[in-house]
Amino acid sequence: MKQAARILVTGAGGFIGHHLVNRLKAEGHWVRGVDLKHPEYQASVADELEIRDLRRWDECLMATRGSIDDVYNLAADMGGIGYITTFHADIARNNTLINTHMLEAARQHHVKRFLFSSSACVYAQSKQKDANVAPLKEEDAFPAEPEPGYGWEKLYAEELCRYYWQDYKFETRIVRFHNVYGPLGTYEGGKEKAPAAICRKVAVAADGGEVEVWGDGQQTRSFMYVNDCVEGLIRIMASGHRDALNLGTDELVTIDQLVDLVSEVAGKRLTKRHNLKGPQGVRGRNSDNSLLRRVLGWEPSILLRQGLELTFPWIQKELQATNRIGVMEQVPAA
Ligand SMILES: NC(=O)c1ccc[n+]([C@@H]2O[C@H](COP(=O)([O-])OP(=O)(O)OC[C@H]3O[C@@H](n4cnc5c(N)ncnc54)[C@H](O)[C@@H]3O)[C@@H](O)[C@H]2O)c1
């Protein structure tokens, strides 16, 4: 076994943070998790799970106390496309506070390595106008033209990480996630992402019925299963690579194909009803993994179908447990 470290995971009550805590504990590390809330669907196995608001400087100092080796900074105010296109001010303010305070508190407490969770939303929007998009390379974030709100604050925090290395020699890592999905992720309430939302819609639809799809369904994305994401995070932390790295798959699908895949996994025949007023985000987005492969000698490999075969049953079971599938199945197909 590798040497045990003292690790802080912020956002440990959230989707990726919770999975990361499970993995780090399984590897024998001491882990402190911090979040505004406990994980929704499964108790945390962190040695300490502290409820703190990391927008506050004093709370960031408390979170990073006690000889922490590594910080995985995953806390963020975020959600799916509907959420991030609606709440620009809240998201930009909250996350700028979290990231600037966490970075400085970690530096003052002599944390050895700090990983910042950025996003593919930092990429220039003009390079994502075509569904048949060229995969995005790390340098495509500049000249800067990111997603309003969420993309701008992520790109600014990336720059801050680079300045901390340049000026203070503080070890930082920058990871640009491309759409992560899997069990134990939010699947309702407005903060859910496309795969979870579509799994939910397919689960509640009667066989032969229909599902609503935002946009014309021809917009494209790539999706990464959460176990690949956690593996990548640990490898990037260990890598010594301080510049931004994509972490995603390059298995590009249209949203219509995603719906068809989920329907197949569910064993249902469904008609897609396109809601052209629904938010769709950029037209196409894919991850270029050339640099990731060069740096790590590894890249995410779990196929979308395999990941959905693990994710759909979990969401279906959640909905069954709260009696929501039985009710919806009474609604006749329009
Ligand atoms: N899931 C994805 O597809 C994806 C894609 C790109 C980037 N990311 C980034 O990865 C990270 C983790 O994402 P996730 O999918 O697990 O999201 P999530 O919403 O499940 O987890 C984020 C957690 O941060 C916590 N948080 C928010 N504000 C806080 C505050 N003020 N103080 C303390 N905790 C706070 C939330 O309560 C939540 O539990 C985020 O930084 C996100 O921007 C995720």
Side-chain angles (χ1 to χ4, degrees), residues 10-18 34-38 40 52-56 73-79 94-95 98-99 116-121 150 153-154 175-181 184-186 191 193 224:
T10 75
F15 170 48
I16 300 171
H18 178 69
V34 175
D35 202 298
L36 285 173
K37 63 174 178 65
H38 287 270
E40 270 162 81
R52 298 188 181 282
D53 185 344
L54 296 172
R55 290 172 298 185
R56 292 177 46 162
N73 190 33
L74 303 180
D77 182 5
M78 64 94 65
N94 290 338
N95 294 343
I98 294 170
N99 295 329
F116 170 59
S117 53
S118 188
S119 161
C121 290
Y150 182 68
E153 56 86 2
K154 289 286 191 198
V175 184
R176 291 183 186 152
F177 295 132
H178 290 249
N179 300 306
V180 189
Y181 71 97
L184 308 178
T186 303
K191 282 197 163 190
K193 305 288 202 68
M224 169 171 54

Side-chain angles (χ1 to χ4, degrees), residues 294-305:
R294 271 207 306 283
V295 171
L296 299 184
W298 174 92
E299 69 183 307
S301 61
I302 299 169
L303 297 173
L304 182 56
R305 191 188 181 95

